[in-house]
Amino acid sequence: MMRTLIMVSGGGTNLQAIIDANIADTDLVAVLSDNPQAFGLERAASAAIPSITVDYKSFVKRNDFDTALHETIRQINPDLIVLAGFMRILASGLVTEYAGRMINIHPSLLPDYPGLNTYQRALDAGEKWHGSTVHFVIPQLDAGPAFLQYRVAIMPDDSAESLASRVQQGEYQIYPQAIGMLASGQLKLDNGVVYSNGQALAASLVVNETDPH
Ligand code: GRF
């Protein structure tokens, strides 16, 4: 069983999708939040998954938060850390310790649109496609090796909200799928290269929205 820690800051709809997917060989050992108000904590409680809060606002110094977070994670001793809407940038020491064992989902077709506000930025730029990407985490934000993307066609009447809602439906599909690929051993990161069934991935695997119309 892959001991899996999910980290959330907010609503936790991805967490819910991961819980509901009942992923093979995956044990959801804990949910961790930096925000005591995160609804994701209630989702964890409903699913009888232990939850822990390391309250960002209770620390005066950023460094003390980083140390407490790192120590808490060490005690949980996860095989995999899944960032699911965790809105704090992690200290590089933590990220390095869990290299190849920490993943994130970012709402854009990385390497396009790292950072915030991706839906509006893609619309403003007149993009034809948008989506979401699962990637391994490295200290540089939204830049780690990507391996699974969900792609949607941008429609002429799309708003940031309508686009977000279609992309998020895709996240609920690809994030559990990505965790399953790691749990089964199909997917690995070695020296910055992602391998799927032993073959180096030249580009992310892409899942297309079934019916964009
Ligand atoms: C997701 O849309 C993901 O792309 C981004 O944060 C959002 C989290 O939403 N990293 P939720 O908390 O899972 O509902």
Side-chain angles (χ1 to χ4, degrees):
M1 286 299 242
M2 182 173 69
R3 292 174 55 78
T4 303
L5 165 66
I6 319 273
M7 292 176 50
V8 300
S9 296
T13 59
N14 276 280
L15 165 65
Q16 191 65 54
I18 293 163
I19 293 169
D20 294 345
N22 238 317
I23 306 164
D25 301 320
T26 302
D27 191 6
L28 304 181
V29 288
V31 170
L32 191 160
S33 179
D34 61 309
N35 165 19
Q37 312 298 334
F39 187 65
L41 293 168
E42 289 182 36
R43 296 182 191 274
S46 303
I49 301 169
S51 65
I52 306 111
T53 302
V54 181
D55 185 356
Y56 181 81
K57 296 206 169 117
S58 73
F59 294 87
V60 178
K61 293 190 192 138
R62 168 77 212 214
N63 197 39
D64 291 341
F65 168 76
D66 289 339
T67 305
L69 186 66
H70 202 147
E71 193 42 48
T72 303
I73 292 173
R74 276 201 180 128
Q75 279 170 17
I76 298 166
N77 190 27
D79 300 315
L80 178 71
I81 300 176
V82 175
L83 304 181
F86 189 75
M87 298 306 285
R88 303 281 167 200
I89 293 173
L90 298 169
S92 64
L94 176 67
V95 173
T96 308
E97 183 171 320
Y98 286 91
R101 297 184 292 151
M102 188 191 288
I103 58 174
N104 182 42
I105 192 160
H106 177 77
S108 77
L109 298 172
L110 289 173
D112 295 343
Y113 304 105
L116 297 174
N117 231 345
T118 61
Y119 301 108
Q120 193 58 52
R121 285 158 63 206
L123 289 173
D124 292 348
E127 299 287 359
K128 291 198 165 51
W129 301 96
H130 197 58
S132 197
T133 304
V134 184
H135 65 95
F136 287 101
V137 177
I138 61 170
Q140 198 188 342
L141 196 66
D142 301 329
F147 58 91
L148 189 57
Q149 291 186 322
Y150 186 84
R151 202 167 73 134
V152 312
I154 295 183
M155 296 296 153
D157 58 351
D158 259 327
S159 62
E161 290 71 29
S162 65
L163 185 56
S165 112
R166 298 213 313 288
V167 169
Q168 280 159 1
Q169 287 305 315
E171 293 189 327
Y172 308 150
Q173 185 182 327
I174 62 168
Y175 218 7
Q177 189 182 340
I179 296 166
M181 289 161 89
L182 290 160
S184 69
Q186 177 193 334
L187 205 94
K188 283 197 168 58
L189 182 73
D190 191 11
N191 254 323
V193 178
V194 184
Y195 292 86
S196 175
N197 289 321
Q199 301 274 344
L201 273 190
S204 283
L205 305 167
V206 177
V207 176
N208 283 303
E209 185 181 27
T210 325
D211 180 8
H213 303 280

